[in-house]
């Protein structure tokens, strides 16, 4: 006998038989949010926001609306539940459950992270001096997470004498961590709890002074550095530094040389550092170089000097400089690696005999090895057309061995140990894809160049099965981010195989707003050039259709967070291009959010989006803000996801957006909102629980293609 599921959606009650083959979608009406007109006025412009009321997280009506949307989503996707479970099990089956990281050595101990079969969370352990030594389990997160819907452990920081470890926990998913300290000799976790922190911390060399960062309880801005003395009441902790500029965040860390405690302050365009000998925590921090608008720099210590990656002297793609530790202001900086227009200098790793420089040229990662004595300089060779390579954990200073990671759209991730003296390399670990069905020779990847309306060439990385016929009838998922200078490199994903093996092409559009083609690529996709991000994505879509990779009926788009803003802008501007769109935790109510400096991230992002308190920025942001530009037109099929406790993009942005889309759209296409009532920006905390969210997204796409197995 079939069970009946009764669901209340606002004032609408309906019943459906589970596993019923009859399609009842047409008979079910989506939730209809109430409208309470809220007048918002700025610069003489009046906006009416009918769904402003949704920003009250504790309001029972808000919770009821979100639950009604969840119930509607459940009903509309009920016919895919078995398929979602199949996808979940399929993706899970490719992952090695009893997996372990490559151990790395730090201060006399080998550290490793492993997963045990049947468990969601990691086990952190170490071995003294030798990998053959007995294992010391520091944290079994599976035990710690019992009873919690969400659990995150982070910021593990072992004291210099190896006897204690500080760690942070978050059980809400608001990224407000409680720091505790564990005695690694006795296993005791001390009573002192330091609340409302980033989770990270740094020990001074006395093994009793701990520096950490506190957050503003409302805006969640990281704004204060405190020091805690082991065994004392955290209420007595001393404030060391407060970042009073609301557009800046602050953080604290120890140099790789372990000689300095460093406090950093950063905004989108400006940085500043303070430093203190790790041997003298009782003394005051010294400023490195006072902040100057648009001056960015980062510092590393080595052999009596600080090495500085900076954009000083209009070095838009950054250069490397150095200065003596006792004369750190800018007039003392001298060039080590000058600026080059066609190479973006991203980072450095310092070793006793070698300087390792991470660069990007024509979109591709480069790892450059330079001997300090200038006897040798070369690049590690890579021979793929499109790939991802980056230096890994390298805490050991006195070594010739460099670890880096390598993967591509068709090649699983490898951890490679490279001998900088001999050029020999050893693959320490290659990601295993279980199940016996994966063969990288069955797939092909390529990099194409689409032409934007303004003539700019936009790179696109694609992967698909070799046996696919490129006749314009293939489903294609186009993904992009395009903000903050964040680059989405062409990376391998075993999860993605569930799409590729069902005939999908996967494309990453390297649009302006990221740094794929250097810093100018970022500058040309922010502030008053932000619309380039959106038009680039659309131009790539049209290119892929023109080149017969897909068609309007089979093209899908996906983006999350700021990439969700991209999705919102794109469906307003060119909805006819896409059959379906997934917008994950989307930042869509741009103007309202950027006018509210009580919301997390707002003040720190004026240099990214603009400050709408300035009319020029207000007008420009209003011209693309997804929520403000919803209009009466057809929209694609859409799945929108969010988390009730999201600290980055507040849940009410996607909730309001969906309500407004429901009010205005003129089509019968599917529009779904799924709110995770227990999680935040990153979704579920368990490694396999998170796969259920991916399975939901993939089932949505595959169902639109009529693929249900």
């Amino acid at each position: 006998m079939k069970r009946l599921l009764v669901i209340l959606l606002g004032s609408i009650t309906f019943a459906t038989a589970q596993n019923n083959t009859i399609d009842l979608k047409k008979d079910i009406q989506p939730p209809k949010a109430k409208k309470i007109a809220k007048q918002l006025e700025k610069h003489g412009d009046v906006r009416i926001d009918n769904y402003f009321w949704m920003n009250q997280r504790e309001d029972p009506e808000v919770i009821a609306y979100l639950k009604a949307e969840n119930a509607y989503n459940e009903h509309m996707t009920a016919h895919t539940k078995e398929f979602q479970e199949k996808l979940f099990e399929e993706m899970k089956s490719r992952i090695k459950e009893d997996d372990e990281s490559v151990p790395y050595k730090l201060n006399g101990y080998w550290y490793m992270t492993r997963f045990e079969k049947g468990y969601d969370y990691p086990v952190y352990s170490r071995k003294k001096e030798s990998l053959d030594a007995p294992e010391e389990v520091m944290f079994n997160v599976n035990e710690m997470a019992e009873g919690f819907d969400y659990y995150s452990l982070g910021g593990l920081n072992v004291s210099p004498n190896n006897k204690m470890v500080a760690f942070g926990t978050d059980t809400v998913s608001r990224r407000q961590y409680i720091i505790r300290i564990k005695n690694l000799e006795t296993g005791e976790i001390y009573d002192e709890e330091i609340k409302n922190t980033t989770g990270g911390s740094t020990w001074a060399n006395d093994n009793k002074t701990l520096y950490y960062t506190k957050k503003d309880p409302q805006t969640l801005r990281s704004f204060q550095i405190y020091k805690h003395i082991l065994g004392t009441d955290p209420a007595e902790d001393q404030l060391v530094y407060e970042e009073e500029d609301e557009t800046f965040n602050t953080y604290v860390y120890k140099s790789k040389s372990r000689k300095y405690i460093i406090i950093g302050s950063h905004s989108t365009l400006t940085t500043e550092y303070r430093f203190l000998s790790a041997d003298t925590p009782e003394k005051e921090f010294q400023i490195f170089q006072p902040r100057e608008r648009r001056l960015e720099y980062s510092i590393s210590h080595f052999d009596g000097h600080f090495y500085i990656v900076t954009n000083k002297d209009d070095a838009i793609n950054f250069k490397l400089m150095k200065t003596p530790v006792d004369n750190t202001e800018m007039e003392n900086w001298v060039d080590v690696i000058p600026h080059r227009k066609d190479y973006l200098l991203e980072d450095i790793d310092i070793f006793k005999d070698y300087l390792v420089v991470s660069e990007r040229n024509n979109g591709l990662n480069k790892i450059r090895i330079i001997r300090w004595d200038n006897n040798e300089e070369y690049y590690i060779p890579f021979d793929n057309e499109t790939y991802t390579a980056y230096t890994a954990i390298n805490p050991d200073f006195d070594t010739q061995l460099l670890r880096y990671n390598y993967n591509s759209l068709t090649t699983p991730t490898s951890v490679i140990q490279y001998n900088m003296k001999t050029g020999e390399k050893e693959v320490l670990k290659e990601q295993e894809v279980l199940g016996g069905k994966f063969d990288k020779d069955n797939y092909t990847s390529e990099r194409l160049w689409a032409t934007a309306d303004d003539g700019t060439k936009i790179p696109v990385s694609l992967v698909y099965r070799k046996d696919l016929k490129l006749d314009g009838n293939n489903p294609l998922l186009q993904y992009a981010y395009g903000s903050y200078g964040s680059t989405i490199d062409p990376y391998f994903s075993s999860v993605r195989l569930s799409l590729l093996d069902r005939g999908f092409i996967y494309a990453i559009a390297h649009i302006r707003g990221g740094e794929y083609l250097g810093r100018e690529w970022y500058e040309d996709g922010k502030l008053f050039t932000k619309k380039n991000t959106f038009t680039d994505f659309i131009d790539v879509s049209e290119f892929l259709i023109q080149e017969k990779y897909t068609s309007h009926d089979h093209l899908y788009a996906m983006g999350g967070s700021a990439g969700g803003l991209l999705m919102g802008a794109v469906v307003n501007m060119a909805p006819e291009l896409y059959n379906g769109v997934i917008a994950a935790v989307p930042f869509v109510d741009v103007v309202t959010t950027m006018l509210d400096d009580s919301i997390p991230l707002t003040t720190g992002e004026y240099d990214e989006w603009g400050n709408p308190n300035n009319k020029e920025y207000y007008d420009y942001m209003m011209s693309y803000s997804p929520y403000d530009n919803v209009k009466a037109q057809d929209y694609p099929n859409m799945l929108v996801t969010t988390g009730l406790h999201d600290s980055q993009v507040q849940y009410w942005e996607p909730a309001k957006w969906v309500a407004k889309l429901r009010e205005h759209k003129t089509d019968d296409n599917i529009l779904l909102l799924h709110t995770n009532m227990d999680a935040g920006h990153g979704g579920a905390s368990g490694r396999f629980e998170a796969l259920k969210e991916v399975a939901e997204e993939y089932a949505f796409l595959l169902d639109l293609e009529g693929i249900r197995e």
Side-chain angles (χ1 to χ4, degrees):
M1 184 175 178
K2 294 176 180 176
R3 289 190 299 121
L4 287 180
L5 177 65
V6 179
I7 304 176
L8 180 66
L9 291 183
S11 60
I12 303 168
T13 305
F14 61 87
T16 177
Q18 287 188 341
N19 302 319
N20 199 329
T21 57
I22 299 173
D23 185 3
L24 298 178
K25 290 180 184 178
K26 299 295 183 184
D27 301 324
I28 303 306
Q29 296 301 312
K32 189 174 182 179
K34 70 177 182 180
K35 294 165 66 173
I36 303 175
K38 172 77 172 179
Q39 183 171 300
L40 303 171
E41 183 175 355
K42 193 73 178 178
H43 306 300
D45 180 50
V46 177
R47 293 179 294 143
I48 302 298
D49 187 349
N50 290 318
Y51 305 107
F52 189 86
W53 62 272
M54 290 187 186
N55 70 356
Q56 300 301 310
R57 196 187 314 271
E58 308 300 327
D59 186 337
E61 287 195 73
V62 172
I63 299 300
Y65 171 72
L66 296 176
K67 288 183 175 179
E69 284 284 5
N70 279 352
Y72 178 70
N73 174 54
E74 283 293 308
H75 177 77
M76 295 295 285
T77 59
H79 65 291
T80 71
K81 292 304 178 186
E82 287 186 13
F83 188 31
Q84 287 185 41
E85 184 62 28
K86 178 181 178 179
L87 288 168
F88 168 72
E89 293 296 337
E90 179 179 291
M91 292 184 287
K92 182 180 176 182
S93 71
R94 298 191 195 103
I95 298 172
K96 193 173 189 297
E97 289 195 51
D98 52 342
D99 203 4
E100 185 174 301
S101 66
V102 178
Y104 67 88
K105 196 172 186 182
L106 176 63
N107 198 23
Y109 279 83
W110 289 94
Y111 288 89
M112 59 216 74
T113 305
R114 60 181 168 82
F115 287 91
E116 298 177 342
K117 192 174 179 63
Y119 291 94
D120 254 345
Y121 294 94
V123 176
Y124 295 98
S125 63
R126 66 179 186 173
K127 295 181 179 182
K128 189 173 183 178
E129 294 298 346
S130 168
L131 288 172
D132 296 324
E135 180 188 48
E136 299 177 29
V137 174
M138 298 191 297
F139 298 102
N140 185 333
V141 187
N142 298 290
E143 296 173 355
M144 301 167 74
E146 287 181 7
F148 293 100
D149 293 320
Y150 177 91
Y151 195 90
S152 175
L153 176 77
L156 273 60
N157 173 34
V158 178
S159 61
N161 63 6
N162 293 311
K163 294 182 178 181
M164 289 162 295
V165 59
F167 63 99
T169 57
D170 172 17
T171 58
V172 178
S173 190
R174 285 285 285 174
R175 303 188 184 184
Q176 291 172 286
Y177 286 81
I178 298 174
I179 292 177
R180 297 180 175 89
I181 299 168
K182 181 176 182 178
N183 187 313
L184 290 171
E185 294 183 321
T186 66
E188 176 189 3
I189 296 179
Y190 296 135
D191 291 336
E192 54 230 67
E193 294 185 351
I194 307 171
K195 297 180 179 180
N196 193 32
T197 77
T198 60
S201 60
T202 299
W203 292 97
N205 289 344
D206 63 358
N207 298 294
K208 67 178 183 179
T209 304
L210 188 72
Y211 293 90
Y212 63 90
T213 309
K214 274 212 166 189
K215 291 189 165 187
D216 182 290
Q218 182 175 3
T219 67
L220 303 188
R221 182 172 70 95
S222 306
F223 78 123
Q224 292 176 327
I225 307 296
Y226 277 83
K227 71 175 178 181
H228 173 73
I229 306 301
L230 188 64
T232 65
D233 184 349
E236 300 173 357
D237 288 356
Q238 179 185 341
L239 176 64
V240 173
Y241 174 70
E242 180 168 359
E243 181 51 70
E244 296 180 352
D245 188 329
E246 292 184 349
T247 67
F248 280 73
N249 287 281
T250 189
Y251 50 94
V252 62
Y253 66 99
K254 184 181 280 188
S255 64
K256 182 177 176 179
S257 66
R258 304 177 202 162
K259 291 190 175 182
Y260 292 98
I261 306 292
I262 299 170
I263 293 175
S265 290
H266 76 93
S267 68
T268 304
L269 298 175
T270 308
T271 49
E272 181 181 70
Y273 289 90
R274 288 164 172 77
F275 64 104
L276 172 69
S277 169
D279 294 326
T280 58
E282 72 282 357
K283 293 188 176 180
E284 300 290 325
F285 279 81
Q286 174 184 339
I287 196 163
F288 187 91
Q289 159 61 37
R291 67 188 63 175
E292 293 186 8
R293 175 77 173 159
R294 301 189 71 89
L295 173 66
E296 298 178 67
Y297 68 95
S298 60
I299 60 176
S300 304
H301 172 251
F302 170 61
D303 194 27
H305 288 82
F306 282 106
Y307 285 77
I308 308 145
V309 176
T310 180
N311 66 349
K312 182 180 179 291
D313 305 321
D314 298 319
I316 189 169
N317 276 334
F318 293 83
K319 62 179 177 177
L320 184 64
M321 307 184 79
K322 72 174 183 178
T323 192
V325 294
D326 53 357
N327 285 295
T328 61
E329 292 196 346
M330 193 162 50
E331 58 265 25
N332 301 298
W333 300 2
V334 296
D335 280 4
V336 177
I337 299 177
H339 175 256
R340 291 165 297 163
K341 184 174 175 55
D342 55 345
Y343 277 82
L344 174 66
L345 200 167
E346 295 187 311
D347 202 3
I348 62 170
D349 288 272
I350 289 177
F351 297 86
K352 181 182 177 183
D353 295 322
Y354 296 91
L355 171 66
V356 178
V357 185
S358 296
E359 302 173 341
R360 187 181 295 273
N361 170 247
N362 197 32
L364 300 180
N365 303 123
K366 306 285 186 182
I367 300 177
R368 183 181 180 188
I369 311 296
I370 304 171
R371 281 190 61 96
W372 287 115
D373 60 14
N374 293 319
N375 282 340
E376 191 175 24
E377 178 179 335
Y378 61 92
Y379 286 93
I380 296 177
F382 301 115
D383 55 6
N384 207 318
E385 180 184 11
T386 178
Y387 62 87
T388 299
Y390 53 93
T391 59
I393 299 174
N394 288 284
D396 196 357
F397 172 71
D398 189 4
T399 180
Q400 297 173 351
L401 302 176
L402 169 74
R403 285 189 185 177
Y404 68 89
N405 292 347
Y406 176 88
N407 70 90
S408 73
L409 288 166
T410 60
T411 308
T413 300
S414 293
V415 180
I416 297 170
Q417 186 162 273
Y418 182 82
N419 190 310
M420 294 181 281
K421 182 176 182 180
T422 66
E424 296 175 305
K425 67 179 182 179
E426 176 187 1
V427 178
L428 299 180
K429 179 180 180 179
E430 182 173 354
Q431 175 188 351
E432 293 185 56
V433 181
L434 303 184
K437 297 180 180 179
F438 172 72
D439 181 349
K440 63 184 178 182
D441 291 332
N442 290 334
Y443 307 88
T444 188
S445 65
E446 55 183 322
R447 187 168 63 158
L448 308 175
W449 298 82
T451 304
D453 274 350
D454 64 1
T456 303
K457 297 292 185 181
I458 312 299
V460 190
S461 297
L462 297 98
V463 61
Y464 51 90
R465 288 188 63 93
K466 284 182 178 177
D467 54 11
L468 215 60
K469 184 180 178 182
L470 301 178
D471 57 4
N473 294 314
N474 300 300
L476 186 150
L477 177 58
Q478 181 179 328
Y479 176 84
Y481 186 72
S483 291
Y484 304 108
S486 179
T487 299
I488 307 299
D489 281 309
Y491 65 97
F492 180 82
S493 166
S494 68
V495 170
R496 192 189 298 137
L497 296 173
S498 291
L499 286 182
L500 301 183
D501 289 344
R502 289 175 172 86
F504 263 77
I505 298 171
Y506 184 82
I508 301 172
H510 304 291
I511 54 182
R512 282 174 281 188
E515 283 187 346
Y516 186 80
L517 291 180
R519 185 70 172 189
E520 288 182 323
W521 202 243
Y522 169 44
E523 297 288 345
D524 208 17
K526 61 186 287 199
L527 298 175
F528 288 120
T529 58
K530 188 64 211 170
K531 288 183 185 177
N532 285 338
T533 300
F534 317 139
T535 55
D536 282 359
F537 191 89
I538 292 168
D539 290 338
V540 167
S541 298
E542 292 177 336
F543 170 79
L544 292 171
I545 292 170
Q546 176 187 322
E547 295 298 312
K548 303 292 187 184
Y549 284 91
T550 189
S551 65
H552 299 273
D553 293 336
H554 300 289
L555 178 58
Y556 302 89
M558 182 175 180
S561 193
L565 161 64
L566 169 66
M567 294 299 101
V570 162
V571 295
N572 282 335
M573 297 167 68
E576 72 284 352
L577 284 178
Y578 309 95
N579 188 38
V581 171
I582 297 175
V585 294
F587 173 41
V588 285
D589 191 11
V590 182
V591 178
T592 305
T593 291
M594 293 304 295
L595 282 170
D596 186 351
D597 60 12
S598 71
I599 295 176
L601 302 186
T602 292
T603 57
E605 303 207 347
Y606 289 152
D607 286 331
E608 178 72 27
W609 311 103
N611 183 348
N613 291 295
N614 176 316
K615 188 177 187 305
E616 284 184 307
Y617 283 117
Y618 176 90
D619 291 342
Y620 187 75
M621 293 162 75
M622 277 294 295
S623 72
Y624 69 76
S625 172
Y627 183 67
D628 293 290
N629 286 279
V630 169
K631 53 183 173 287
Q633 65 175 10
D634 287 359
Y635 282 88
N637 298 288
M638 295 175 64
L639 170 63
V640 182
T641 64
T642 187
L644 182 62
H645 302 290
D646 197 323
S647 60
Q648 311 301 104
V649 178
Q650 307 303 310
Y651 72 88
W652 60 76
E653 292 199 39
K656 289 167 53 177
W657 184 44
V658 167
K660 192 171 182 180
L661 283 167
R662 290 205 191 287
E663 179 187 355
H664 288 85
K665 74 191 192 82
T666 55
D667 58 83
D668 293 323
N669 289 329
I670 299 167
L671 174 58
L672 302 175
L673 172 66
H674 182 190
T675 303
N676 187 325
M677 304 301 283
D678 300 314
H681 200 63
S685 57
R687 62 172 175 156
F688 296 130
E689 283 301 306
L691 288 181
K692 293 179 180 177
E693 298 173 351
V694 179
E696 176 188 13
E697 294 167 350
Y698 282 11
F700 174 78
L701 298 173
L702 291 162
D703 187 51
L704 290 173
E705 279 293 311
I707 301 170
R708 298 184 173 93
E709 61 179 35

